Amino acid sequence: MKDDLARLVDRIDAARISRRSFLNRTAAFGLTAALGTSFLPGSARAEPKQGGILKIGLGGGETTDALDPGLADGPASFAVGRQWGDTLVNVTATGEIEPLLAESVTGNAEGTVWTFAIRQGVKFHNGAALTTDDVVATLKRHSDEASKSGAFGVMQGITEIKADGTNVVVTLAAGNADLPYLMADYHLIVQPNGGLDDVNAAIGTGPYKLVTAEAGVHYSFTRNTDDWNTARGHYDEVELLIINDATARSSALQSGQVHMINRVEPKVAKLLGRSPGVMVKNVSGRGHYVFIMHCNTAPFDNKDLRLALKYAIDRQEMVDKILDGFGGIGNDIPINASYPLFDETLEQRPFDLAKATEHYKASGHDGSPIVLRVADGAFPGAVDAAALFQQSAAKAGIPLEIKREPDDGYWSNVWNVQPFCASYWGGRPVQDQMYSTAYLSTADWNDTKYNNPEFDALILQARSETDLAKRKELYSKVAHILNDDGGVICPMFNDFIDAHTDQVTGWEGDPNYEMMGGFASSKTWFA
Amino acid sequence: MSHPGHPIIKLVVQRLALGLILLWAASVLIFVGTQILPGDVAQSILGQSATPETLANLRAELGLNEPALGRYLHWAGGVLHGDLGKALTNGQDIAHEMAGRLANTLFLAGCAAAIAVPLAIFLGLLAVRYQGRWPDRLISGVTLATVSVPEFLLGYIAIYFLAVRFRLLPSLATIYDGMTLGEKIYAISMPVLVLVLVVLGHMMRMTRAAILNVMQSPYVETAELKGLRPFTVIARHALPNAVAPVVNVVMLNLAYLVVGVVVVEVVFVYPGMGQYLVDHVSKRDVPVVQACGLVFAAVYIGLNLLADVISILANPRLRHPK
């Protein structure tokens, strides 16, 4: 809450929001505090107006995108799914679980059995009623490796999915206190019969019905008049236009051809915000840019050398120059304050050349150039960031050699293969998922080749711990270990930067993802 | 027919046969080219999420483990039956998907050509008429300037002034089913403008040079001495004899309008073949890349063939053999 207020004040300084809007929002925060829920900021303001055709320009869509929600892997296919489909639950902007197709979620004390009470009276776009069987079939389809679902990983710990009256009961092999968060995965859209009849039918329970779809070009939707949730879907029609060229995207917004765009480039964000009728909205997310070292490969198997490199990077300079200020500094862990149970007390690692030199000397490294592989495909500005890193490391007497790699094939030939390279992580809704995906010694994507039994044990212990205070303490230990000993250098977390015209009202930032977590068309309306 | 046909028919048949052989050679090159690209489609589809097991599964499913020659024959056989296969990435039928994209590309190219070709020839004639005087210099100067500026820059300049500043034309040229013809033409007005500017100079310069060449001929002098108006002399007597080189350069530019406009497509977000090809190249979707390559090759060869035939037809010595 305090951070939100601070951010609002900042924005007034930057003249990005009006005084009236500030008062409205602070009022909304007050109300939120009184009710103890995070669900209301938008609805506490003026009553939404119905009508109009919303046009959204999206970067990150391709001709190859499929409608199957399991295969959604880019901003466009993600946005498409958000229009027509619903998951069981959703993670709110403040990191709480919000009920969607499941009215409530309850787990046992061990976190091994989870019961989802399925909302009754919900209709699919084809008129059929939502049943527990549909939910079970959906979850089972994504648990099947043959579906190639992007959610296959989050479904792996599940041993049984069954219907029980109006409930769906999910049983796990081992306790996982985060299961409700995992079920909010955007791939897990409930489809009639789990989508087994036609995975690409795009029939769901969402606020808008799909009318036409041309992958990589254009999607059109019309309002679902039978929507179970009457508090959303304020437009008569929604059109998604795929505009991959960043300049084309911002000029489409400026010329009024679209009302919203995603992925505003940091270097033009401030300029764009100055054009008449355009508002730029940024929110700090969980995505972060990293330089990763393989802890099992010389010279990175030496803790002092890893620390030397961590002290030799100037994080603030990177945020200022690579992200143009649209981001926050990292602390060599993949977690920041947008995660639930984040430990704020973990000390921020400073840019300290003296310590860098000290650790470099202690490492006994022979002084030969340390090769850092980069490509702009790793993250936007990666090559420039590596050059900054090289300069600051040189001041500490650490010789870095930058090797530029082609974007093409970067993820197959360099990332997770070469011992030191640039990379990007989009973040996960909860800490466990982030650590389990990329830092457990057993993870396929353990891209720092970190192997520490104590660290692994703490993560597994935290996963099944249902006592929040204890859990936070465990994650704090995990963070301290990784910060001190791990192979990840995390200089910065990037903001999601979207923009919309002044016709659109009701915009709320959501750290989960760009475009208000994908709900921009559901929750905003035309003034 | 036992006797050899009319020499023109023979020539055309010969050219057609040559064209088909060229197309076959292109298909082999395309296939070989896609085989020697680094990485494979399974790796590219899975990207960061690839694990050895999922890679092996996907490779087996996509038939990537079969020998290359077998895959080529299978593919070529399918193409002859009009079956371009299915895209590896999203399982869509390529022929069906590409038909829409090709239609869009031809629509844009057609609109641009319908303006650019007559305009270029007319400006060429005008430049000859006023050779060395200010209209000639103005036309040459402007068209040379527009042909020298990269097309994406022309595009951005046009967007800035026509769409953002004065809001006259739409900056997005996305067209889709359900738009009327009028809406579609309005949507593509800016890319058409840019393409016209890009191809105009080349065609106009060539028309001017070719006509100036025949202006030295005795029959032009005769026509002038008959007292015909200078423009009539150029249009009626000089132009028909300059058709061959003009047609060649026109066809070259038409081919460019079909196969080379990916940059303009990206700038104006136009759903044509170029963007379709680029998307699939980056995902190593080999069947789509091959199909696009083949279509592009066919367009190129076909247009050049047409230019040849028109040149032959325009040549009286070939039209009226002894």
Side-chain angles (χ1 to χ4, degrees), chain A residues 349-403:
Chain A
R349 172 161 290 125
F351 171 47
D352 189 336
L353 289 175
K355 275 198 173 160
T357 313
E358 186 186 308
H359 281 290
Y360 184 65
K361 281 190 181 138
S363 75
H365 187 253
D366 60 6
S368 58
I370 298 170
V371 177
L372 170 61
R373 289 165 202 269
V374 289
D376 267 328
F379 59 82
V383 176
D384 297 337
L388 290 175
F389 192 8
Q390 185 186 36
Q391 294 297 317
S392 60
K395 286 183 202 154
I398 307 172
L400 278 190
E401 181 186 323
I402 298 173
K403 188 156 189 302

Side-chain angles (χ1 to χ4, degrees), chain A residues 62-64 148 214-215 217-218 239 241-243 245 247-248 251-252 254-255 257 408 412 415 424 444-445, chain B residues 43 48-49 51 58 61 89-90 101 156 159 163 167 170-172 174 176 267 269 271 276 279-280 283-284:
Chain A
E62 291 181 75
T63 326
T64 48
K148 296 200 209 68
E214 196 178 337
V217 180
H218 176 259
E239 286 187 31
L241 289 143
I242 309 305
I243 311 176
D245 185 60
T247 314
S251 49
Q254 285 174 285
S255 65
Q257 282 192 279
D408 213 20
S412 42
W415 175 76
Y424 169 74
D444 280 329
W445 298 341
Chain B
Q43 179 77 59
Q48 201 183 359
S49 53
T51 61
L58 198 60
E61 194 185 313
T89 40
N90 60 358
R101 291 305 186 110
Y156 285 143
I159 288 178
R167 299 203 174 192
S171 68
L172 291 183
T174 312
Y176 40 86
V267 168
V269 201
Y276 182 69
D279 277 357
H280 287 84
K283 289 262 176 103
R284 300 270 187 283

Side-chain angles (χ1 to χ4, degrees), chain B residues 170-240:
Chain B
S171 68
L172 291 183
T174 312
I175 61 170
Y176 40 86
D177 293 341
M179 286 172 99
T180 64
L181 184 64
E183 284 172 342
K184 284 186 182 175
I185 289 176
Y186 177 64
I188 66 166
S189 47
M190 273 222 282
V192 166
L193 177 75
V194 168
L195 287 177
V196 166
L197 291 177
V198 168
V199 297
L200 199 59
H202 191 196
M203 290 193 286
M204 174 265 155
R205 295 290 296 178
M206 203 62 203
T207 310
R208 182 178 175 279
I211 293 177
L212 279 179
N213 213 16
V214 298
M215 287 302 275
Q216 318 297 331
S217 316
Y219 63 84
V220 171
E221 205 180 342
T222 310
E224 277 167 6
L225 292 175
K226 274 198 297 186
L228 292 180
R229 290 187 11 247
F231 198 78
T232 317
V233 174
I234 296 167
R236 293 279 307 276
H237 296 274
L239 180 62

Side-chain angles (χ1 to χ4, degrees), chain B residues 40 42 46 51-65:
Chain B
D40 81 349
L46 294 170
T51 61
E53 300 88 70
T54 52
L55 268 179
N57 287 345
L58 198 60
R59 282 199 185 114
E61 194 185 313
L62 300 176
L64 295 176
N65 299 328

Side-chain angles (χ1 to χ4, degrees), chain A residues 285-338:
Chain A
R286 300 178 186 128
H288 48 285
Y289 299 166
V290 288
F291 295 104
I292 44 178
M293 308 175 273
H294 283 186
C295 299
N296 63 356
T297 311
F300 310 105
D301 53 356
N302 182 313
K303 184 180 167 186
D304 276 308
L305 186 94
R306 296 201 293 269
L307 278 172
L309 287 168
K310 288 176 183 179
Y311 278 113
I313 195 163
D314 187 345
R315 296 153 212 269
Q316 191 57 49
E317 184 187 31
M318 291 223 179
V319 170
D320 293 342
K321 291 186 177 162
I322 304 296
L323 298 174
D324 273 76
F326 289 97
I329 57 173
N331 198 14
D332 301 334
I333 54 171
I335 306 300
N336 65 355
S338 7

